[in-house]
Amino acid sequence: MTSIDKVTGSQLMRLWGVTSWPETEGDYLLWRGVGIFVCLDFGDHVDLHMAMKPGERHLCRDAVADVLDLIGNREIHAAIRIEHKQVCNLAKKFGFIETWRGEVEYVDDTRGKLILMKRYAQ
């Protein structure tokens, strides 16, 4: 896992599937050159966002395991766009549960459905 700057990280998020990703502050982590994670620490929990290079999504399980080890025993929130709902199955394998589903307005003024998955500290 390599720390990268927010400009590069934001570009990778958009390139690899999160088209409305804003250039926001956070910890941007590049995983093996094919995965990007953004961790936003809110004190009581961490928001976790990810994108994988197309053609490399079969490595998601290993990537998620590595980032969860890095974050440690914290409450983690993962917002998953409905068009990527298959990611919920992966999240469930790591102890995440669905806590909310609904329509939201994204930062680019578009609307879409979102699934909020949470993993609680143990």
Side-chain angles (χ1 to χ4, degrees), residues 2-14 21-30 36-38:
T2 306
S3 290
I4 61 173
D5 65 276
K6 75 176 178 181
V7 173
T8 304
S10 296
Q11 291 170 341
L12 288 173
M13 287 293 286
R14 291 188 290 271
W21 186 259
E23 195 171 292
T24 189
E25 293 298 326
D27 294 320
Y28 290 81
L29 305 167
L30 184 62
I36 181 73
F37 290 95
V38 184

Side-chain angles (χ1 to χ4, degrees), residues 51-98:
M52 294 290 286
K53 183 178 181 180
E56 303 295 338
R57 294 192 176 119
H58 64 282
L59 298 171
C60 281
R61 186 178 204 137
D62 292 338
V64 170
D66 286 350
V67 79
L68 292 179
D69 284 344
L70 187 66
I71 293 171
N73 190 24
R74 307 260 325 263
E75 182 174 318
I76 303 169
H77 298 185
I80 301 168
R81 293 176 81 137
I82 197 75
E83 58 266 28
H84 301 291
K85 66 183 175 187
Q86 70 278 6
V87 176
C88 293
N89 293 328
L90 175 64
K92 288 177 185 175
K93 291 177 182 171
F94 286 98
F96 285 81
I97 59 170
E98 183 177 326

Side-chain angles (χ1 to χ4, degrees), residues 35-49:
I36 181 73
F37 290 95
V38 184
C39 299
L40 307 173
D41 193 331
F42 289 97
D44 64 336
H45 74 276
V46 174
D47 276 4
L48 179 62
H49 303 272

